[in-house]
Amino acid sequence: MPLADIHCHLLPGLDDGARDWGTTEAMLRRDYENGIAKVIATTHADPTVKPFPLSKYMEALEKANELCGELGLGVTVYPGCEVMYGEGVTERMLEDGRLPGLAGTRKALVEFYPDVKYDAVLAALRRLAYIGYTAVLAHIERYECLYKRYDRIRELREAGAKTQVNCSTVIKPPGFFAKRYIDTLLSDGLVDYLATDAHSDNTRRVNMKEAYDTVIARYPDRGHLFEGKELLS
Ligand SMILES: [Fe+2]
């Protein structure tokens, strides 16, 4: 089964991800080398600060797929964004089509500030559910209110949210306790997606194969976490 990356900043000139088309090309080549056939270009969106540049984004997405064709890598890039949640405005923009859901679905990759309060996360995903959207919580390992709070993570998932952990966290957890936290998330089935959150071809690069090998060595039945289930499969 080819791998799928549901969180990646590979379109240039739109956020702090790829700085130019040369970087985008290098990232697509890394996708191919990592066995990734499908990528969602999740450009940052912060609708409380400025509008998402949808037409520019769609142009870049089309150009990225043309580039994939020219390079013959067998990689397809799908629409999406990583939205910094803002009460009300996020729902309105998703409803209006001014923010793209993940790969054309009614699922949205949502992030919060690391010190967000738990009640705010729960309220946000319920508001999104009210308009028919599922929240995919980006890099859940960053949120202080969820750290080792498996009861809360269970409650969020029971309320319909999906959870995403970054590949780099699995490869190199920031310390002993973080490693145990990630291990428990994986062993208890509290992770829905592992994704690269890649921003470049050097420091924050596409590293899915290494994460895949790390996870599968310990949890052989967790391959589906790398397949973009319900989004790209
Ligand atoms: Fe991201």
Side-chain angles (χ1 to χ4, degrees), residues 41-214:
T42 50
T43 296
H44 285 292
D46 191 342
T48 60
V49 175
K50 62 178 181 180
F52 185 69
L54 187 62
S55 60
K56 201 172 160 199
Y57 171 89
M58 294 308 291
E59 271 173 38
L61 181 74
E62 193 178 333
K63 191 169 167 184
N65 276 310
E66 285 168 12
L67 183 59
C68 289
E70 286 163 22
L71 298 171
L73 298 174
V75 177
T76 304
V77 187
Y78 294 82
C81 68
E82 178 182 17
V83 60
M84 176 61 76
Y85 184 77
E87 185 180 337
V89 66
T90 299
E91 289 84 2
R92 264 198 312 282
M93 290 189 70
L94 284 167
E95 285 255 68
D96 294 352
R98 285 180 286 156
L99 287 176
L102 291 169
T105 68
R106 290 182 78 82
K107 292 188 174 66
L109 185 66
V110 181
E111 71 170 330
F112 299 87
Y113 290 105
D115 63 350
V116 64
K117 297 282 179 269
Y118 175 67
D119 287 350
V121 177
L122 191 57
L125 74 89
R126 285 185 171 148
R127 273 188 222 103
L128 288 164
Y130 185 71
I131 61 158
Y133 266 85
T134 297
V136 178
L137 300 173
H139 31 63
I140 58 160
E141 66 271 31
R142 286 190 193 168
Y143 305 119
E144 292 160 17
C145 66
L146 299 183
Y147 184 65
K148 297 202 173 177
R149 290 299 305 265
Y150 307 110
D151 56 332
R152 289 180 168 179
I153 296 170
R154 279 195 188 90
E155 185 176 39
L156 293 174
R157 293 180 79 251
E158 281 164 14
K162 304 287 182 185
T163 59
Q164 180 257 309
V165 167
N166 281 2
C167 287
S168 54
T169 311
V170 169
I171 295 166
K172 196 175 178 188
F176 174 77
F177 293 106
K179 181 173 187 317
R180 284 182 56 175
Y181 174 44
I182 299 302
D183 276 347
T184 303
L185 290 179
L186 288 168
S187 64
D188 287 9
L190 298 176
V191 181
D192 294 292
Y193 302 105
L194 280 152
T196 69
D197 195 10
H199 280 64
S200 71
D201 61 333
N202 46 52
T203 49
R204 296 175 74 182
R205 68 200 313 228
V206 176
N207 53 3
M208 188 169 273
K209 182 67 168 65
E210 190 179 353
Y212 181 90
D213 291 344
T214 304

